[in-house]
Amino acid sequence: MAARPTRTNSKKKQPPKYIFVVGGVMSGLGKGIATSSIGRILKSKGFTVTALKIDPYINVDAGTMNPTEHGEVFVLDDGYETDQDMGNYERFLGETISSVNYMTTGRVYQEIIRRERNLEYKGKNVEVVPHVPLEVIRRIKEAQKQSKADVTLIEVGGTIGEYQNIIFLEAARMLKHEAPNDVAVVMLSYVPIPNNIGEMKTKPTQYASRELNSAGLQADVILARAIVPIDEKRKEKIATFCNVLPERVISAPDVESIYDVPLNYEKDGLGDILTEVLGLPTRKSKLDDWKEFVQKSKRSKKEVEIAVVGKYFDSGSFTLSDVYISVLEAVKTAGYHLGLKPKLVYLNSKDFESGKLSYSELSKYAGVLVPGGFGETGIEGIIGTIEYVRKHKIPYFGLCYGMQLMVIEYARHVAKLKDANTAEINPSAKHVVIDVMLDQKDKLIKADYGGTMRLGTYPCKLRSNTVARAAYGKDKINERHRHRYEVNNAYVAKLTESGLVFSGMSPDHKLCEIAELPKEVHPFMLGTQFHPEFLSRPLTPHPLFTAFLQAASKKK
Ligand code: GLN
C-alpha cells in the first residue's frame, strides 16, 4: 500500500492537478454526478476547478445522435453540442465550460488526421500509441490552461475493460507517468447485493481494480456504489484486494436526490482525501450554500404536477427522461426555491394522436411544458395539447420546438391561417409560419448536418411590459440556442394583430426569440426559441422557469 504523502505548505504555488474518474463493473452508476460532486467539494475548498468528459463514440460530437439513444444533447455557450454530463458539471460547479472540455474518439481522431494532412507530424509515422493519448493529454492541458484550474477533473466514459476506452486510460497513465504527484485516479465501482444472497459482494470491484491495474493505473480512491452504505467489513476487503487505504474507500449509496451526493461524500471526508493524495493544502470545505439548497429542496412539500409533453420518451417498454434532463432539473430547482415540490409526468404526444390519451387529461396538471424536438412524428399531438392548454388557461411553457409549435397553433386557430405549419414538416404548406433560417438552406441541401445549426449563445432584447421582461427584470439577456428554423417574419404582423406578443427579439430585430400571450389573456403562455434550461443552475434557477412554476402553483 502506498504511504501517505506529507502535507504541503499552503502558500506554495501548486502545479496543476488532475483527477481521472473511471467506472468499474458497469455503466449507469452516475460517474457524471460523481465527477460533478467532487468538483463542487473542491471548489468549496477555494480551488479553481474544471471538468472534462471523454466519450468513446466515433461521433465527432453529440449533435448527430438520436436523443433516445444517447440522452440529452447539452449545448455550451460556444455552441458545441455535448453530452448531458457537461450540463451536470456546469450545474454543480456553477461554471461555464468550454468546448475543449468535451471530446469523443471521433473528435480526437479528426484533429490527428487534420494535422497529419497538414504535415504537422513532419513526416513521422502517426500511430494510435502514442499519438492518440498525446492528443487527449493536449486537450486536457488546454482545458486546464483556459480555465486556469487548480484541479482538472476528467471523466472517462464507459467502463474499465471495454476496448473503447483503453486508449483514454493510456492517456491517464502517460500523464501520471509525466507528473506522478499531480494525478489521482478515482474509481466509481458497483458493489451489488444479489437478492438470493442478501450480502454485499466486492468481487466485481476487485476484478475491475485488477483490470485497471493492467492498464497501468492504480485507484487512489474507490467510490463504492451500492444501494446502501458500505459496511466496515466490505471496506476492509476492498481496501486489501484493491490496494487502497481503507479510509479511501468511500460509501456511495443510493440517495434521494443527486444534490445529496457531494454532502454524502463529505461524510467520509472525500475532499480532504483528494487534497492529501494530490499534495494540495488542507482547506475546510464550505458547502453551506449547497446544504441550504438541499435543505430547501427537502422542506418543499407543496406538490405541483407538471406534464411534459414530448416525443422522445419510448425505448422499448421503458420511459426515458434522460432526454430532457436539463429541463427536468430546471423545473425541479426553480420549484424548490419557491417552496414547491414539482412532480414531472411524461406524456407521449403520440398517445394523444392515437386516442390512447385524451386532451382533457391535461386539466389535471398545474402546468404543461413542451421541450425541444425535431421532425414530424408526434407533432399534431403537441399542437392539440397547446390548443387545449391555451383555451383552458393552463400555464404553458414551450422550449424551442415548443415555441415554434405554439406559434403554429396560434396561427391556425386564432389568426385563422388554416394550414399553418413549419417548413421542417411541410415546406409547401400555404402558410409556412416557421421557416428555415436563411443561412441554413444551403446546409440542408448539402446534407451538412453536424454542428451546423444556429448554436450557442446569442443576445436578445426584451420588450417592456411583457411577461418575459417582468420575469428577467432586465432588458438584455443572453441565451443558448440549437435550431435551424425560426418564426417567418412575413407573418409577424398578422400574428401580432391577432394578439400574439413577440416579447424577445434579436438585437437587429430579425429573429423572434420569445412569443407570449399577455397576462390579461392567459395566466402563463410563453415560448422561447432558445433553451433556457441550459443556463438554469441549482443555486440560481432560471427566471422563466421560476415564472412558469409560480403561475402553475396558482392554478386552481
Ligand atoms: N426542430 C426545430 C428547429 O430545428 C426545433 C429545434 C429544437 O427544439 N431544439 O428549429
Side-chain angles (χ1 to χ4, degrees):
M1 230 172 283
R4 293 183 188 89
T6 45
R7 291 185 193 281
T8 46
N9 178 346
S10 76
K11 297 279 175 314
K12 221 178 83 202
K13 176 91 187 102
Q14 295 288 338
K17 304 287 181 178
Y18 301 92
I19 301 177
F20 284 86
V21 180
V22 299
V25 180
M26 64 181 201
S27 65
L29 298 176
K31 252 190 308 194
I33 298 297
T35 308
S36 308
S37 299
I38 293 172
R40 184 79 210 181
I41 294 169
L42 293 173
K43 187 178 170 179
S44 87
K45 287 183 181 291
F47 297 109
T48 323
V49 179
T50 195
L52 288 94
K53 168 94 195 249
I54 303 179
D55 261 338
Y57 311 111
I58 305 280
N59 303 60
V60 172
D61 58 37
T64 52
M65 294 188 223
N66 187 327
T68 49
E69 287 220 4
H70 173 265
E72 174 183 272
V73 175
F74 188 83
V75 180
L76 300 176
D77 250 359
D78 58 18
Y80 205 61
E81 296 168 288
T82 71
D83 181 77
Q84 61 190 47
D85 276 328
M86 301 297 281
N88 288 323
Y89 303 163
E90 284 203 344
R91 286 190 283 273
F92 274 65
L93 293 175
E95 302 281 342
T96 299
I97 288 178
S98 120
S99 61
V100 75
N101 288 45
Y102 181 66
M103 69 182 113
T104 61
T105 299
R107 186 143 200 230
V108 170
Y109 272 83
Q110 192 186 42
E111 174 60 16
I112 293 171
I113 292 167
R114 184 197 66 76
R115 272 203 250 152
E116 185 275 330
R117 295 287 82 184
N118 291 357
L119 265 181
E120 285 180 34
Y121 291 102
K122 303 195 181 350
K124 279 213 174 81
N125 277 6
V126 184
E127 306 200 59
V128 172
V129 178
H131 294 103
V132 177
L134 283 176
E135 168 61 13
V136 173
I137 293 172
R138 187 193 68 79
R139 296 184 65 92
I140 293 172
K141 289 186 175 172
E142 183 57 32
Q144 185 281 326
K145 217 165 88 198
Q146 279 187 21
S147 57
K148 300 190 180 62
D150 300 318
V151 184
T152 302
L153 293 156
I154 307 107
E155 178 191 345
V156 181
T159 311
I160 300 161
E162 266 181 83
Y163 282 132
Q164 295 205 79
N165 62 16
I166 282 176
I167 206 74
F168 301 118
L169 296 178
E170 177 64 1
R173 191 199 62 76
M174 283 170 68
L175 190 60
K176 174 108 189 160
H177 181 71
E178 179 189 314
N181 299 320
D182 303 326
V183 176
V185 178
V186 173
M187 178 170 88
L188 179 75
S189 191
Y190 185 52
V191 199
I193 306 178
N195 264 342
N196 55 334
I197 310 173
E199 186 196 325
M200 196 178 254
K201 302 304 275 180
T202 64
K203 199 60 64 67
T205 295
Q206 295 178 35
Y207 288 141
S209 165
R210 221 169 287 164
E211 195 71 46
L212 187 63
N213 292 158
S214 72
L217 291 167
Q218 165 64 48
D220 297 289
V221 172
I222 292 182
L223 307 174
R225 276 292 286 119
I227 53 172
V228 293
I230 184 165
D231 63 350
E232 282 308 313
K233 193 171 159 198
R234 273 57 185 201
K235 218 175 228 196
E236 286 290 342
K237 236 179 172 172
I238 291 181
T240 308
F241 295 111
C242 301
N243 213 25
V244 290
L245 294 167
E247 64 268 30
R248 292 183 184 174
V249 180
I250 306 289
S251 218
D254 286 352
V255 281
E256 208 184 304
S257 134
I258 51 171
Y259 301 113
D260 291 328
V261 176
L263 305 176
N264 223 29
Y265 286 166
E266 271 306 75
K267 283 188 199 150
D268 283 354
L270 179 59
D272 285 343
I273 290 171
L274 285 169
T275 53
E276 185 179 298
V277 170
L278 291 168
L280 284 167
T282 322
R283 292 181 190 158
K284 237 177 107 61
S285 303
K286 293 193 180 118
L287 286 162
D288 291 352
D289 50 354
W290 196 264
K291 244 181 238 163
E292 199 186 306
F293 160 70
V294 170
Q295 278 159 3
K296 222 185 251 177
S297 75
K298 303 220 157 130
R299 272 198 306 268
S300 298
K301 290 276 177 313
K302 191 183 165 204
E303 224 172 63
V304 274
E305 256 194 313
I306 306 290
V308 179
V309 182
K311 49 182 284 184
Y312 299 121
F313 290 134
D314 33 354
S315 168
S317 27
F318 297 93
T319 300
L320 299 167
S321 55
D322 252 22
V323 175
Y324 305 116
I325 188 83
S326 295
V327 176
L328 208 131
E329 293 307 322
V331 171
K332 284 202 295 198
T333 55
Y336 298 153
H337 286 275
L338 295 169
L340 304 169
K341 192 178 175 189
K343 187 176 160 215
L344 289 115
V345 179
Y346 301 99
L347 303 180
N348 198 324
S349 59
K350 289 172 233 166
D351 291 340
F352 288 110
E353 293 176 357
S354 68
K356 195 170 147 197
L357 272 175
S358 112
Y359 289 113
S360 59
E361 283 273 312
L362 294 163
S363 290
K364 289 205 312 227
Y365 299 98
V368 170
L369 188 150
V370 171
F374 296 85
E376 189 176 6
T377 47
I379 290 314
E380 288 305 319
I382 295 181
I383 294 176
T385 296
I386 299 173
E387 182 180 12
Y388 188 90
V389 302
R390 180 177 55 76
K391 289 184 173 158
H392 292 83
K393 305 211 185 302
I394 301 169
Y396 173 82
F397 194 15
L399 311 176
C400 206
Y401 217 7
M403 175 261 206
Q404 297 175 354
L405 298 171
M406 169 180 153
V407 172
I408 293 172
E409 189 281 321
Y410 205 81
R412 283 189 192 171
H413 304 125
V414 184
K416 301 288 173 224
L417 303 166
K418 236 179 116 216
D419 78 334
N421 214 329
T422 162
E424 184 171 354
I425 296 175
N426 182 7
S428 48
K430 184 146 170 243
H431 301 291
V432 179
V433 292
I434 304 294
D435 204 356
V436 61
M437 300 183 74
L438 261 184
D439 59 343
Q440 290 290 333
K441 275 190 182 143
D442 228 31
K443 296 170 189 165
L444 290 179
I445 293 166
K446 292 186 187 138
D448 178 15
Y449 297 122
T452 61
M453 282 187 242
R454 179 174 179 238
L455 291 166
T457 297
Y458 288 92
C460 164
K461 271 173 81 179
L462 302 178
R463 226 172 127 156
S464 45
N465 300 319
T466 58
V467 177
R469 173 65 184 74
Y472 280 100
K474 54 183 173 185
D475 298 320
K476 239 187 109 188
I477 54 161
N478 287 291
E479 292 281 0
R480 293 185 190 171
H481 297 68
R482 180 173 190 247
H483 62 115
R484 276 187 217 283
Y485 299 83
E486 60 169 332
V487 174
N488 182 346
N489 285 332
Y491 287 93
V492 168
K494 172 85 180 148
L495 290 163
T496 308
E497 265 164 45
S498 316
L500 194 63
V501 177
F502 291 103
S503 52
M505 300 292 291
S506 59
D508 62 4
H509 287 273
K510 286 194 175 137
L511 301 169
C512 297
E513 304 280 35
I514 309 178
E516 62 176 71
L517 288 184
K519 62 177 186 306
E520 298 73 33
V521 178
H522 195 284
F524 189 93
M525 183 130 200
L526 184 144
T528 60
Q529 182 56 81
F530 48 81
H531 290 269
E533 69 272 25
F534 293 148
L535 290 184
S536 179
R537 288 167 183 181
L539 304 188
T540 48
H542 193 284
L544 289 181
F545 280 90
T546 304
F548 169 56
L549 279 157
Q550 256 161 347
S553 72
K554 287 185 198 134
K555 182 187 166 254
K556 300 271 171 337

